[in-house]
């Protein structure tokens, strides 16, 4: 007689582990960043005091108001640097990049619509754009996958070793993907944006994960003159990088599923062996033999057509 | 072979449509926002000249100072001396940050400054983002039984509707409930708590957050003197998670309804999975799981379209 232990639903366990994970992350960030903030505050306060002392005619209150205005303008995309007339954020090319970041849900936030109609339009735009984006990325990922599969099938036939060919091609295409979408962009951003390597890598990761903080944004530095093809190439990279990433994730899920099926099969086999032993010891015809392949008959649940 | 061709044509059509959509959006954004920007620029130019005229500061030291102001502001350090110190890195805010990181919302109102913080963000997100997707998928799967399959079954039995009608009705009802509970009501609450936000601003914020776009132009709890700030931040965090689940639920109901209407095969989109198939959960909680299938969540790992970026069907 197999004892029935108390069943904790897997979802609850998963959710608990998740909560712990987020809490742990919060604690670690608290530790890592808390000190840095204090230091920055002190440095800034010192500079402010220096300026006020240097120019005695400025009143602190007026300076603070002025600075607030500047901050607000900066957030709206207007930057002051001498007498240079700057193009601002809402030209066509930068607006195209903005709509791309909305639709891919990256959402840097370095520019965002400030007018009410702009915000309303943003909501509508995203409502249709995000599903469209998901579908297109999906299809592109599938397309890239089919190329890889056809190549591995072709090579597998040629050298007559299907499995090794598949594994080898999978490994190679993964490496090619990593190089094209992570390593080369890191180097490119390091070169064009004058970021360190780890800053460039951080930006690449945050963008491709669609987190998009906006603390680093490619093409945003008003001091750098970018080549004319720069923002288009960055947009292309984001698109194909996202498609590639979705492909990788789905392959990982597939591998996990295969592993799960394999483990389940082993468990099933061992359970069958155990039940056989038990029926030999204790003949009990009332003991049902479960078959996991039997599907539940549920006439009320709709089926997928 | 012809199905491959058709599928290829569909891809191209989708892609062209996608590009057109982006370009049109860009045009419209540009035409809406540019005049406002020009106006602001002029205003600011006047402000700066006035300030410089009245004071003895020379232009260059002012500009150096302003650069520092902007850098400090990016890192969340406020210029106002008497502002109650809203640290961005107390425990509740760090927790909030961690949650925006792994849900990929990524407001960016606070970002890690130290190198250690950045490196840890990458590692944390590398594990956390798939983990989030896993948790969301698993939860939504269970919720689907409660919110989609059961109501549809009830409709079909009691009212005798076909599965198609039932799915349509169920989807519309679910959409209405989610919009009210996760958009309208929170927007009203936010506009009441945040003094500078109107109802539309709050609605815009809810939408941008729950789509995981997270522009960061509106972030709750950032104004000075916010009462009960830690509790507020944690509540918003919970709202984010539950809201994401709700969005995913609506999406999957829509997918189900579209599937029943044959739209998915028309556009070569991935079909929804068979929910009657028994599959063991990826993480087996206890040994005797095969004998008690009722208690187990049916954890399917076939990918379905989600608001995040993984959705290739096998």
């Amino acid at each position: 007689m197999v004892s029935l232990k108390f069943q904790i639903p897997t979802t609850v366990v998963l959710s608990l582990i998740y909560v712990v994970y987020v809490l742990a992350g919060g604690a670690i960030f608290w530790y890592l960043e808390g000190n840095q903030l204090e230091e920055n505050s002190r440095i800034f306060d010192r500079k402010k005091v220096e300026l006020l002392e240097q120019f005695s005619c400025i009143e602190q209150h007026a300076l603070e108001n002025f600075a607030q205005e500047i901050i607000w303008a900066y957030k709206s995309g207007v930057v002051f640097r001498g007498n240079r007339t700057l193009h601002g954020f809402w030209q066509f090319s930068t607006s195209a990049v903005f709509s791309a970041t909305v639709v891919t849900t990256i959402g840097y936030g370095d520019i965002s619509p400030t007018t009410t109609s702009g915000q309303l339009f943003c909501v509508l735009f995203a409502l249709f754009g995000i599903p469209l984006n998901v579908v297109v990325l999906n299809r592109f990922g599938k397309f890239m996958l089919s190329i890889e599969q056809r190549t591995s099938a072709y090579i597998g036939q040629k050298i007559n070793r299907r499995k090794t060919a598949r594994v080898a091609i999978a490994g190679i295409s993964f490496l090619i993907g990593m190089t094209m979408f992570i390593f080369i962009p890191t180097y490119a951003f390091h070169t064009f944006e004058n970021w360190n390597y780890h800053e460039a890598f951080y930006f690449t990761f945050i963008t491709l994960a669609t987190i998009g903080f906006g603390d680093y944004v490619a093409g945003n530095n008003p001091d750098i003159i970018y080549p004319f093809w720069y923002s288009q190439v960055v947009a292309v990279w984001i698109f194909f990088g996202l498609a590639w990433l979705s492909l990788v994730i789905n392959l990982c899920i597939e591998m996990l599923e295969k592993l799960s099926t394999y483990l389940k099969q082993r468990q099933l086999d061992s359970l069958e062996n155990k039940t056989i032993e038990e029926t030999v010891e204790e003949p009990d015809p009332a003991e049902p033999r479960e078959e996991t392949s039997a599907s539940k008959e549920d006439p009320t649940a709709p089926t997928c057509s | 072979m012809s199905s491959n061709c058709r599928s290829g044509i569909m891809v191209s059509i989708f892609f062209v449509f996608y590009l057109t959509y982006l370009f049109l959006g860009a045009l419209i954004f540009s035409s809406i926002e540019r005049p406002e920007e020009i106006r602001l620029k002029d205003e600011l130019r006047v402000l700066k000249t006035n300030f410089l005229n009245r004071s003895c500061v020379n232009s260059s030291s002012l500009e150096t100072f302003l650069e520092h102001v902007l850098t400090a502001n990016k890192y969340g350090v406020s210029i106002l001396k008497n502002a109650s110190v809203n640290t961005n890195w107390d425990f509740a805010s760090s927790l909030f940050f961690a949650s925006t990181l792994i849900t990929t919302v990524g407001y960016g109102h606070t970002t890690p400054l130290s190198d250690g913080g950045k490196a840890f963000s990458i590692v944390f997100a590398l594990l956390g983002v798939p983990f989030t997707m896993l948790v969301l998928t698993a939860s939504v799967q269970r919720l689907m039984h409660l919110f989609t399959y059961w109501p549809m079954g009830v409709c079909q039995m009691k009212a005798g509707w076909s599965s198609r009608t039932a799915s349509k009705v169920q989807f519309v009802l679910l959409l209405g409930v989610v919009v009210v509970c996760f958009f309208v009501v929170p927007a009203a609450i936010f506009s009441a708590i945040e003094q500078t936000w109107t109802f539309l601003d709050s609605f815009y914020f809810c939408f941008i957050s729950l789509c995981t776009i997270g522009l960061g132009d509106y972030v709750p709890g950032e104004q000075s003197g916010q009462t009960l700030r830690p509790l507020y931040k944690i509540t918003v965090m919970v709202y984010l998670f539950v809201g994401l689940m709700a969005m995913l639920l609506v999406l999957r109901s829509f997918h189900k309804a579209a599937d029943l209407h044959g739209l998915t095969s028309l556009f070569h989109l991935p079909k929804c999975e068979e929910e009657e198939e028994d599959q063991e959960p990826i993480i087996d909680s206890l040994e005797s799981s095969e004998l008690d299938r009722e208690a187990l969540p049916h954890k399917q790992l076939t990918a379905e379209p989600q608001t995040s970026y993984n959705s290739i069907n096998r």
Side-chain angles (χ1 to χ4, degrees):
Chain A
M1 185 74 183
V2 182
S3 59
L4 278 173
K5 299 179 211 157
F6 177 62
Q7 295 282 318
I8 309 169
T10 313
T11 317
V12 174
V13 171
L14 212 57
S15 311
L16 281 174
I17 298 178
Y18 186 67
V19 167
V20 168
Y21 187 77
V22 177
L23 283 171
I28 295 179
F29 277 121
W30 181 36
Y31 168 70
L32 285 172
E33 291 294 319
N35 301 336
Q36 191 77 25
L37 182 76
E38 269 185 44
E39 202 186 299
N40 281 352
S41 294
R42 258 183 285 125
I43 293 175
F44 177 69
D45 272 335
R46 203 166 17 101
K47 296 221 184 284
K48 185 166 124 185
V49 163
E50 276 173 19
L51 185 78
L52 285 173
E53 281 174 359
Q54 190 185 4
F55 299 100
S56 51
C57 60
I58 311 176
E59 192 224 359
Q60 174 165 326
H61 197 62
L63 180 67
E64 284 175 5
N65 281 345
F66 180 66
Q68 283 288 84
E69 291 281 327
I70 296 283
I71 290 171
W72 184 65
Y74 176 76
K75 282 189 177 159
S76 311
V78 180
V79 180
F80 262 112
R81 215 58 71 87
N83 287 334
R84 233 174 354 130
T85 47
L86 290 162
H87 292 293
F89 280 150
W90 291 105
Q91 308 176 279
F92 181 72
S93 57
T94 43
S95 307
V97 172
F98 173 73
S99 32
T101 61
V102 165
V103 143
T104 50
T105 77
I106 296 177
Y108 288 123
D110 56 332
I111 54 173
S112 52
T114 47
T115 61
T116 312
S117 42
Q119 288 172 349
L120 274 176
F121 176 70
C122 190
V123 168
L124 283 174
F125 186 69
L127 208 52
F128 295 104
I130 292 174
L132 177 65
N133 178 67
V134 167
V135 164
V136 174
L137 281 184
N138 208 345
R139 304 243 96 226
F140 256 87
K142 251 181 157 166
F143 175 66
M144 293 200 283
L145 183 65
S146 70
I147 292 182
E148 188 233 329
Q149 281 174 339
R150 259 183 270 163
T151 324
S152 72
Y154 176 71
I155 295 195
Q157 260 186 339
K158 280 266 162 136
I159 65 172
N160 223 10
R161 286 162 147 267
R162 285 233 145 89
K163 205 157 188 191
T164 33
R166 244 209 338 244
V167 171
I169 296 289
I172 291 177
S173 41
F174 179 71
L175 282 176
I176 292 179
M178 285 284 278
T179 318
M180 277 209 304
F181 298 118
I182 299 190
F183 296 136
I184 292 185
T186 303
Y187 178 72
F189 290 129
H190 163 78
T191 315
F192 283 106
E193 300 277 344
N194 292 332
W195 295 334
N196 303 332
Y197 277 113
H198 60 263
E199 285 175 332
F201 179 72
Y202 171 75
F203 168 73
T204 310
F205 178 82
I206 294 291
T207 303
L208 284 187
T210 76
I211 297 173
F213 282 131
D215 48 354
Y216 297 91
V217 180
N220 237 19
N221 199 333
D223 291 328
I224 298 180
I225 302 184
Y226 299 103
F228 68 94
W229 43 262
Y230 191 71
S231 51
Q232 285 87 299
V233 170
V234 170
V236 165
W237 160 66
I238 290 177
F239 179 77
F240 283 103
L242 286 178
W244 172 76
L245 202 62
S246 75
L247 169 67
V248 166
I249 288 175
N250 278 275
L251 285 181
C252 286
I253 293 179
E254 211 179 292
M255 281 198 312
L256 277 174
E257 263 194 293
K258 284 200 185 140
L259 184 69
S260 157
T261 325
Y262 171 69
L263 288 174
K264 178 178 63 169
Q265 193 58 38
R266 274 185 57 178
Q267 219 176 27
L268 189 63
D269 290 342
S270 70
L271 197 66
E272 273 185 26
N273 290 339
K274 248 198 285 177
T275 330
I276 289 175
E277 285 170 21
E278 280 173 1
T279 27
V280 166
E281 284 171 21
E282 219 191 274
D284 189 357
E287 187 78 46
R289 278 268 301 274
E290 287 292 341
E291 285 177 12
T292 47
S293 52
S295 40
K296 211 166 44 166
E297 291 307 322
D298 191 0
T300 55
T303 58
C304 287
S305 53
Chain B
M1 215 54 219
S2 90
S3 132
N4 263 349
C5 270
R6 268 185 61 202
S7 161
I9 294 177
M10 279 263 110
V11 180
S12 329
I13 293 180
F14 269 128
F15 191 57
V16 168
F17 189 57
Y18 181 68
L19 282 179
T20 323
Y21 191 76
L22 279 180
F23 284 151
L24 276 179
L27 266 173
I28 297 179
F29 274 123
S30 190
S31 58
I32 293 178
E33 292 291 321
R34 193 106 175 87
E36 179 73 18
E37 183 178 44
I38 292 174
R39 190 191 62 82
L40 182 63
K41 252 200 215 162
D42 293 332
E43 229 178 68
L44 212 57
R45 206 168 289 139
V46 170
L47 182 73
K48 185 176 172 188
T49 3
N50 282 344
F51 188 84
L52 283 176
N53 281 341
R54 271 192 317 203
S55 65
C56 49
V57 191
N58 64 338
S59 187
S60 60
S61 24
L62 181 67
E63 277 180 24
T64 326
F65 176 70
L66 287 179
E67 265 188 60
H68 284 126
V69 168
L70 291 176
T71 318
N73 181 69
K74 234 179 27 155
Y75 296 150
V77 180
S78 165
I79 170 119
L80 293 178
K81 193 77 179 172
N82 292 333
S84 56
V85 179
N86 264 357
T87 168
N88 280 318
W89 293 104
D90 61 342
F91 182 68
S93 309
S94 308
L95 196 58
F96 184 67
F97 171 75
S99 67
T100 62
L101 182 63
I102 56 176
T103 51
T104 78
V105 171
Y107 289 121
H109 66 300
T110 49
T111 52
L113 308 173
S114 55
D115 282 349
K118 291 201 181 90
F120 179 68
S121 308
I122 293 178
V123 172
F124 190 69
L126 209 51
L127 293 171
V129 172
F131 197 178
T132 308
M133 290 196 242
L134 194 70
V135 171
L136 285 179
T137 317
S139 317
V140 168
Q141 244 169 352
R142 304 212 76 188
L143 290 175
M144 279 285 271
H145 285 276
L146 183 62
F147 286 103
T148 306
Y149 301 140
W150 177 78
M152 277 175 74
V154 162
C155 286
Q156 283 182 287
M157 282 204 311
K158 291 256 176 93
W161 291 335
S162 71
S163 62
R164 287 175 135 201
T165 331
S167 72
K168 263 193 294 207
V169 170
Q170 184 273 336
F171 168 69
V172 171
L173 278 177
L174 184 68
L175 186 66
V177 166
V178 164
V179 164
V180 167
C181 292
F182 288 98
F183 288 92
V184 174
V185 168
I189 297 177
F190 279 127
S191 61
I193 298 179
E194 302 280 337
Q195 280 131 18
T196 48
W197 295 11
T198 65
F199 179 78
L200 275 178
D201 291 336
S202 314
F203 189 86
Y204 169 73
F205 161 75
C206 292
F207 181 83
I208 294 290
S209 307
L210 290 187
C211 283
T212 78
I213 298 176
L215 289 170
D217 45 357
Y218 294 94
V219 181
E222 288 302 307
Q223 57 187 16
S224 52
Q226 176 70 47
T227 51
L228 292 176
R229 190 161 170 263
L231 183 65
Y232 186 38
K233 289 252 173 200
I234 294 184
T235 317
V236 175
M237 186 178 89
V238 171
Y239 162 68
L240 263 183
F241 281 130
V242 180
L244 278 180
M245 259 189 251
M247 295 285 275
L248 209 56
L249 189 64
V250 167
L251 220 68
R252 288 189 52 168
S253 299
F254 176 71
H255 188 213
K256 194 61 195 255
D259 208 48
L260 285 178
H261 286 80
L263 292 173
T264 48
S265 33
L266 181 67
F267 291 111
H268 289 266
L269 293 169
K271 289 183 175 295
C272 60
E273 77 287 358
E274 302 285 331
E275 81 276 3
E276 296 134 11
E277 272 178 25
D278 278 340
Q279 282 196 13
E280 298 301 318
I282 185 85
I283 303 167
D284 262 317
S285 46
L286 293 164
E287 193 54 56
S288 45
S289 37
E290 281 112 315
L291 295 171
D292 192 356
R293 233 171 283 132
E294 271 301 301
L296 287 177
H298 297 277
K299 200 168 151 351
Q300 304 268 344
L301 280 179
T302 50
E304 322 80 27
Q306 306 171 1
T307 49
S308 56
Y309 45 74
N310 60 329
S311 26
I312 297 182
N313 205 9
R314 284 176 291 133

